[in-house]
Amino acid sequence: MTSVVDILNSLWIDSGFSALLTDWRSLVMIVVACVLLYLGIVKKFEPLLLVGIAFGTLLTNLPGAGLYHPELWDGIIDGTKDYGDVLRDGGLLDILYIGVKAGVYPSLIFLGVGAMTDFGPLLSNPKSLLLGSAAQLGVYCAFILAVVLGFTGPEAASIGIIGGADGPTAIFLTTRLAPHLLGAIAIAAYSYMALIPLIQPPIMRALTTKKERETKMEQLRPVSKTEKIVFPIVVSIFCILLLPDTAPLIGCLMLGNLFRECGVVDRLSDTAQNALMNIVTIFLSTSVGATTVASRFLTLDTLKIVALGLLAFCFSTVGGVLLGKIMYKFTGGKINPLIGSAGVSAVPMAARVSQVEGQKANPSNFLLMHAMGPNVAGVIGSAVAAGFLLALFS
Amino acid sequence: MFFVLKSDITVLEALGYSILGLAIVFAALILLMVIIKIQSALMNKGRKSEAPTSVSAAPAPVAAPAPAKAVAPGSAGEVKLFDVPDKTAAMIMAIVADSLKKPLNELRFKSIKEVK
């Protein structure tokens, strides 16, 4: 009889339920994971990534599951452990996380993004690049505010890049500069990207007049196939020579785009856009979610990051729209300032917001293709901003 | 220095880095803009210089064109398709004609391009 009680007692002690009762923080994180799953599944907030991130959060916070070991990664950072230790002692999510840590997944996601992106609107209106630059304002505003709030330089840089509204870039930079903040930064970045249709319109309306919003833009010139093929090659050479730290991101983005445009590797383009992108998204989202271990995620810093992320998005929108207004004045009213907000990357959601706001002001307005220029310029702009911060702090 | 908190850099340093960072992003993308403009100017120039050549060389092949070789009666010419399959283009043209209540041969489609 005693032995049965002992066995039951031992089973209870070994079970995750017992551990849950001893550490309430895991329970809180399970609730957080369920809220994120609700937002992804019911509210459709960036579901392709948020569902995976949320489930990774859930798995990593189930006591006893042993899928992710933050102490192993601490060892990698301080040099007492290597990837061999991770492969030997790590759980499933530890092994998947190697791809994040090595910067493989964000780069492969960029390969798919490149294969899906048409740079035609940017090539037909190269001034869009200016709007893509101005919309990086939020990166640096959030960086300064993060320093004010007491974050170190590398941490502040990782928080600032949320303003680039580009998930893979944020993950890429954070894994190199402040891996302990990865979970909070990734969740903030993807959540705010999903909230762009709510965050941007009030700022866009507050900063522009009705007359400016009603501006109809001239039709874009057609871009030849040769121009589209030469573009990724030129951008790779130029950007990587200028900021070598951008090589993994810009290199993969432009390789994907070359697959798309050259017309002789349709199979590769299709794989990069679909199968590869989907596989990497699963690995990236679950392993990033796994970093949200209760003891490290439930801190005041997470709340600060969430607040700074929102400010970063707002400042980036302000930067894009303000430069749009300046360009409106300089071109004699030929550029609708609303397309400036699309410079925050978040392809194509930010461009859609410009289109919707433009049509609200003038139902015959079609800004989508015009906004795609700054939108894809923002992807390049945020990669350049990340390259600069990486060069500064790594 | 001024305003040192817990951070390893001061706010003034952060401000300096930010101004430099934004300037580098602008400089990089402005240079890219110039490169794109030069690239498109060169390509347009190439196309323009090709055009007169083809015109001067044109008489021979154009002299004996196959008139209305594959053109349906009443057709206004060929529509240029950009990343759109023939079948989809045909459906789009039929839908437009139906919406406008006009016969298809009274409409002129210059190009159909997929908006991505």
Side-chain angles (χ1 to χ4, degrees):
Chain A
M1 188 65 191
T2 317
S3 64
V4 173
V5 172
D6 284 345
I7 290 167
L8 287 175
N9 190 36
S10 161
L11 275 175
W12 169 252
I13 289 167
D14 289 345
S15 79
F17 287 109
S18 139
L20 266 185
L21 292 179
T22 54
D23 188 2
W24 59 271
R25 290 177 302 181
S26 297
L27 206 57
V28 172
M29 285 310 294
I30 291 170
V31 173
V32 169
C34 292
V35 170
L36 291 175
L37 281 170
Y38 170 79
L39 292 177
I41 296 167
V42 181
K43 297 288 179 186
K44 298 194 169 43
F45 282 11
E46 290 282 330
L48 286 175
L49 275 143
L50 205 54
V51 170
I53 291 177
F55 211 79
T57 302
L58 181 69
L59 291 176
T60 203
N61 286 291
L62 292 174
L67 291 171
Y68 180 78
H69 301 85
E71 63 280 2
L72 269 178
W73 295 100
D74 292 341
I76 297 257
I77 292 168
D78 60 31
T80 56
K81 292 197 186 295
D82 56 27
Y83 287 133
D85 295 309
V86 176
L87 289 171
R88 194 171 48 251
D89 305 327
L92 173 67
L93 295 178
D94 284 307
I95 293 166
L96 290 182
Y97 185 70
I98 293 175
V100 180
K101 185 73 186 158
V104 175
Y105 301 154
S107 304
L108 290 179
I109 293 272
F110 256 48
L111 184 80
V113 170
M116 288 196 281
T117 304
D118 177 12
F119 283 102
L122 176 67
L123 288 167
S124 62
N125 184 14
K127 289 190 199 91
S128 308
L129 283 159
L130 294 175
L131 296 168
S133 320
Q136 305 309 315
L137 179 70
V139 172
Y140 298 103
C141 290
F143 168 69
I144 296 169
L145 289 173
V147 170
V148 171
L149 289 179
F151 287 99
T152 63
E155 288 172 343
S158 304
I159 294 166
I161 205 67
I162 298 174
D166 201 331
T169 308
I171 292 170
F172 181 81
L173 188 70
T174 307
T175 47
R176 274 159 173 71
L177 297 184
H180 54 289
L181 300 180
L182 182 62
I185 287 175
I187 287 174
Y190 282 111
S191 304
Y192 290 135
M193 266 192 270
L195 290 172
I196 271 192
L198 297 177
I199 296 170
Q200 287 196 319
I203 300 169
M204 292 159 79
R205 286 195 290 267
L207 294 178
T208 52
T209 62
K210 190 161 191 311
K211 192 184 166 204
E212 286 170 340
R213 293 197 294 275
E214 284 173 347
T215 307
K216 286 178 84 169
M217 291 179 67
E218 286 171 14
Q219 204 175 352
L220 295 168
R221 74 168 175 88
V223 177
S224 71
K225 186 125 191 99
T226 317
E227 276 178 89
K228 286 187 176 182
I229 293 173
V230 172
F231 177 73
I233 301 166
V234 169
V235 173
S236 300
I237 294 171
F238 172 73
C239 285
I240 295 171
L241 285 180
L242 183 73
L243 283 168
D245 287 313
T246 61
L249 292 178
I250 294 283
C252 284
L253 181 74
M254 292 301 147
L255 174 62
N257 192 247
L258 188 61
F259 283 165
R260 172 199 169 92
E261 300 298 350
C262 70
V264 292
V265 288
D266 287 346
R267 281 165 50 194
L268 302 186
S269 173
D270 178 57
T271 302
Q273 289 180 44
N274 300 297
L276 181 64
M277 184 84 157
N278 292 340
I279 291 167
V280 176
T281 301
I282 294 169
F283 291 172
L284 178 74
S285 56
T286 44
S287 48
V288 165
T291 61
T292 57
V293 179
S295 57
R296 294 163 189 234
F297 189 81
L298 292 178
T299 61
L300 187 61
D301 281 353
T302 302
L303 292 178
K304 288 180 191 171
I305 290 167
V306 169
L308 287 168
L310 178 61
L311 288 173
F313 267 65
C314 294
F315 279 119
S316 287
T317 307
V318 168
V321 175
L322 286 183
L323 189 69
K325 277 173 80 80
I326 293 169
M327 288 172 78
Y328 170 85
K329 297 268 186 235
F330 271 87
T331 57
K334 284 185 182 168
I335 288 181
N336 190 320
L338 291 179
I339 66 166
S341 64
V344 301
S345 307
V347 184
M349 191 142 10
R352 281 196 204 129
V353 171
S354 300
Q355 159 74 10
V356 169
E357 287 304 306
Q359 275 206 326
K360 274 185 193 165
N362 179 356
S364 65
N365 222 347
F366 290 94
L367 295 177
L368 186 65
M369 287 313 286
H370 299 285
M372 282 307 289
N375 209 190
V376 295
V379 177
I380 301 174
S382 56
V384 172
F388 168 75
L389 293 169
L390 198 54
L392 196 63
F393 291 111
S394 62
Chain B
M1 266 180 94
F2 162 79
F3 212 83
V4 184
L5 287 165
K6 275 195 303 176
S7 181
D8 57 346
I9 59 169
T10 64
V11 175
L12 214 56
E13 280 172 328
L15 191 66
Y17 291 150
S18 297
I19 292 168
L20 182 64
L22 204 53
I24 284 181
V25 173
F26 264 100
L29 296 198
I30 286 171
L31 279 172
L32 203 53
M33 183 176 88
V34 172
I35 291 170
I36 292 171
K37 286 201 168 184
I38 292 169
Q39 177 194 315
S40 60
L42 286 175
M43 292 200 177
N44 284 336
K45 200 178 166 189
R47 243 179 279 152
K48 276 177 194 162
S49 63
E50 266 173 31
T53 322
S54 61
V55 168
S56 59
V62 172
K69 192 175 156 192
V71 180
S75 170
E78 285 186 7
V79 56
K80 286 179 187 163
L81 303 182
F82 297 96
D83 300 332
V84 179
D86 291 352
K87 204 173 165 184
T88 311
M91 278 196 292
I92 291 169
M93 290 190 284
I95 291 165
V96 171
D98 185 57
S99 310
L100 295 173
K101 308 281 181 218
K102 292 256 182 193
L104 198 54
N105 60 3
E106 286 183 19
L107 298 174
R108 188 175 174 207
F109 293 88
K110 286 185 174 176
S111 67
I112 299 176
K113 186 177 180 185
E114 188 186 352
V115 179
K116 290 180 179 168

